[in-house]
Amino acid sequence: MFFRKLLISIILILLIISALFSNSTFAVQAENKGSTFFFYFYGDGCPFCDQVEKNFFPELKERNPDLEIKKIEVWHSPENAKFFQEIATENFGLDFIELGVPAMFIGEYYIIGLPSQRDEEVIEQIVRRYLS
């Protein structure tokens, strides 16, 4: 009985932790204020990545024409996948298990998965801050 309660508790804790880390925005320290980068990692054929490219990027680029988005395909390029892992783990402190596409790294923020409305607002604020 004790082990069953322990197992249920562990499962609940893992579910809560995974909910906290999915599709969320996290702040980390920016390397250089006044300059920014926007890395977009995607997988060729990923339906979620297609949604980001069709529904999110066009409006963002229209409002911020000076923004340069570095698009990097990671499913079919081992070199790009390694670069994605290095950016995520070394610069943002993410664990390999947290990585997936679409993934966006801009300034001091990152988003793994589809951006929420809040994520879109945060990205817009960061872009304006760094491009002004």
Side-chain angles (χ1 to χ4, degrees), residues 24-117:
S24 297
T25 306
F26 299 90
V28 296
Q29 189 164 351
E31 290 182 8
N32 296 313
K33 190 168 180 175
S35 66
T36 192
F37 58 88
F38 193 134
F39 287 116
Y40 168 62
F41 295 95
Y42 70 98
D44 187 30
C46 166
F48 303 110
C49 301
D50 289 342
Q51 287 181 27
V52 169
E53 291 189 37
K54 290 177 185 171
N55 300 324
F56 177 60
F57 284 154
E59 293 177 10
L60 183 64
K61 286 289 288 177
E62 184 177 315
R63 289 187 301 271
N64 304 283
D66 293 335
L67 177 65
E68 292 185 35
I69 300 171
K70 177 82 171 151
K71 292 173 55 172
I72 304 169
E73 201 287 325
V74 297
W75 282 1
H76 303 289
S77 170
E79 296 84 20
N80 289 348
K82 182 179 179 189
F83 178 63
F84 175 32
Q85 184 177 353
E86 288 172 0
I87 290 283
T89 58
E90 294 174 16
N91 294 352
F92 289 85
L94 297 173
D95 290 327
F96 180 76
I97 196 160
E98 296 175 289
L99 302 182
V101 293
M104 292 167 262
F105 298 85
I106 180 167
E108 68 265 6
Y109 289 89
Y110 69 87
I111 299 164
I112 307 283
L114 291 173
S116 68
Q117 182 66 36

